[in-house]
Amino acid sequence: MATVTAEAPGRRRRRTPLARREARWAYVFLAPWIVGFLIFYAGPMVASLWLSFTEYDVINEPRYTGLDNYRELMSDPAVARSLGNTVYYTALHVPLVMLISLGLALLLKRVGRLQGFFRTVFYLPVMTPAVAVGILFLLLLNTQDGLINRVLGLVGIDGPSWTTDPHWVMPGIILMSLWSLGSTVIIYLAALQNVPRDLYEAAAIDGAGAWARFRSVTLPMISGALFFTLIVNTIASLQMFTEVYTMYFGNRETQNTFNSDAASFYVIHLFQEAFQFLHMGFASAMAWLLFVIILIITLVQVKLSNRFVYYEGEDK
């Protein structure tokens, strides 16, 4: 009978030469990523944290000012306005994208053999460069010649001034943002295809209707995917920049015909402070405020996930 000798507590097992050699090679292959992370991410983050406590215009040396930039953040109406626009956009965009994507994914699940074709069709817009999307929707939303207003005119509806009326600028941006919901559709479709058919059959035998099966089987089983897209889309929405900047701030003709406050997003205002007005210290403080906001929102979402997200195999 074989005997097992227990290793003394606190005594570390020695690595074999093979294990040490494999560990060295692992660090060698990880080194490019580690160096890139330190140079392009960790280093600039530490530098921006220091600059957020200074007055810096790129030309002159940074001058330490303490918490002045953060005090100015709290009292600057332009910051409050741009942050309000960003939160408003996020609150509308994220639920809308999730609902439409889930509906499309449910339809795609029933397509059958053509599913692969439609997956490609829905995902292709995601590959469109953000600048091209901004230019495309600037043309589509044009008040006089835009395709959207022309289509509305065919059914007797007077199309609004999407790009010039402050009340319609945000709905136009949200409409544009739906262009890239294909990635969310694909994630939901993959989650739906992983729901065991046995659960639907058992629910049907118990007399559950279509809505009851969707609420009691489908939603819990895809809650992990819903939670993932909620976090990813929320973070992306709070950092909205390229498409809106291309539409409203990168075009001189558009800038002269609309109130820029309606499309002033937080990251756009940050970009202007940094690279147009050279207020690098103030822009760094804005960046760290956004980082803290995203961190808090993500932590709240993760905390709530313990109550609403079901992972297969866990005891609940």
Side-chain angles (χ1 to χ4, degrees), residues 91-236:
L92 291 179
H93 165 77
V94 175
L96 197 59
V97 165
M98 293 179 68
L99 287 172
I100 295 176
S101 298
L102 183 56
L104 291 173
L106 289 168
L107 291 175
L108 277 180
K109 189 184 176 186
R110 298 174 176 270
V111 169
R113 294 183 178 180
L114 291 175
Q115 191 179 105
F117 169 75
F118 283 108
R119 277 204 311 261
T120 305
V121 170
F122 279 114
Y123 191 74
L124 277 177
V126 181
M127 308 301 293
T128 310
V131 173
V133 173
I135 296 173
L136 171 65
F137 273 85
L138 187 61
L139 299 175
L140 290 175
L141 296 172
N142 186 277
T143 306
Q144 284 79 29
D145 304 319
L147 179 62
I148 293 177
N149 278 3
R150 284 188 178 184
V151 172
L152 291 175
L154 294 177
V155 294
I157 299 176
D158 239 355
S161 301
W162 299 97
T163 58
T164 55
D165 188 343
H167 298 96
W168 284 98
V169 167
M170 190 61 70
I173 293 172
I174 294 171
L175 181 64
M176 174 198 64
S177 69
L178 300 179
W179 175 262
S180 59
L181 55 73
S183 56
T184 307
V185 174
I186 301 303
I187 291 172
Y188 289 165
L189 179 60
L192 288 170
Q193 289 175 331
N194 285 330
V195 178
R197 296 182 63 88
D198 298 346
L199 297 178
Y200 291 118
E201 293 171 359
I205 292 172
D206 289 340
W211 170 248
R213 291 197 299 271
F214 176 76
R215 189 184 68 243
S216 303
V217 177
T218 303
L219 283 181
M221 295 303 294
I222 67 169
S223 57
L226 294 172
F227 171 63
F228 171 75
T229 55
L230 173 65
I231 287 184
V232 170
N233 286 327
T234 300
I235 293 174

Side-chain angles (χ1 to χ4, degrees), residues 233-248:
N233 286 327
T234 300
I235 293 174
S237 299
L238 290 171
Q239 299 180 85
M240 183 65 163
F241 173 74
T242 308
E243 294 92 334
V244 179
Y245 189 85
T246 302
M247 287 178 67
Y248 295 104

